[in-house]
Amino acid sequence: MFFHRKKTFPSPFTGELHPITDCPDEAFSQKMTGDGFFVYPTSFDVVAPCDSTVEFVFDTRHALGLRTDQGLEYMLHIGIDTVEMQGCGFTVFVENGQHVRKGDRLLSFDDEAIRAAGHSDACLCVFTDEAGPKDVQVVRTGKIRALEDAVEY
């Protein structure tokens, strides 16, 4: 008998881990952009969860699209409706096409500026590949540090 071993995916964020279905944004919570998870941050640096290539950096610096070395596409999205901030409060340390290693700093953000603008600071990791994970489960809830396993699929 063959048992399929589930894969795990680490968090790029430090804070409080939640399933994506609890996200304060309907499009994300209903998985319209893909399955994943989110973290309410206690640290404001975002690191590469695994060896990946940066596929795109949003002009507004609030989100990045990446692809793992194994081909899994994912998006890191900082805050809800933070596109409206037009890049204010976000510093990106990578560029399109750059290869990053697990733990490399990708971006940082000003959490106070996000909240002062009236936005949620929920940080999302969404698997955007249509062939990607469909049944993502958080491995636990509560505190998580960047690079600790966040979900399995």
Side-chain angles (χ1 to χ4, degrees):
M1 181 177 261
F2 177 76
F3 291 97
H4 177 71
R5 185 178 182 279
K6 291 192 172 209
K7 296 178 182 175
T8 58
F9 195 88
S11 178
F13 318 111
T14 295
E16 187 177 318
L17 177 65
H18 294 272
I20 200 164
T21 52
D22 292 346
C23 182
D25 179 85
E26 188 174 357
F28 287 120
S29 69
Q30 293 185 2
K31 304 180 186 179
M32 292 180 191
T33 55
D35 208 340
F37 62 94
F38 77 97
V39 171
Y40 284 119
T42 56
S43 170
F44 313 115
D45 284 318
V46 179
V47 299
C50 49
D51 293 358
S52 303
T53 298
V54 178
E55 297 287 313
F56 61 89
V57 176
F58 280 74
D59 290 342
T60 50
R61 302 189 297 271
H62 74 291
L64 304 171
L66 300 103
R67 180 187 307 267
T68 69
D69 287 359
Q70 292 72 38
L72 179 63
E73 296 175 8
Y74 62 102
M75 176 178 63
L76 304 180
H77 191 284
I78 309 307
I80 305 298
D81 296 327
T82 48
V83 66
E84 297 171 4
M85 296 175 67
Q86 294 297 305
C88 292
F90 299 93
T91 303
V92 176
F93 302 103
V94 295
E95 58 189 35
N96 293 344
Q98 182 176 341
H99 188 264
V100 294
R101 297 271 177 216
K102 181 176 185 173
D104 286 353
R105 188 162 73 156
L106 302 175
L107 65 88
S108 63
F109 58 96
D110 183 340
D111 194 62
E112 288 184 23
I114 290 172
R115 289 186 281 116
H119 303 301
S120 167
D121 63 357
C123 295
L124 293 109
C125 179
V126 180
F127 302 107
T128 52
D129 190 341
E130 290 196 17
K134 297 291 185 256
D135 187 28
V136 176
Q137 302 292 320
V138 294
V139 295
R140 66 177 184 276
T141 54
K143 293 184 190 323
I144 190 164
R145 295 192 58 75
L147 305 181
E148 291 179 342
D149 285 342
V151 294
E152 61 183 18
Y153 56 94

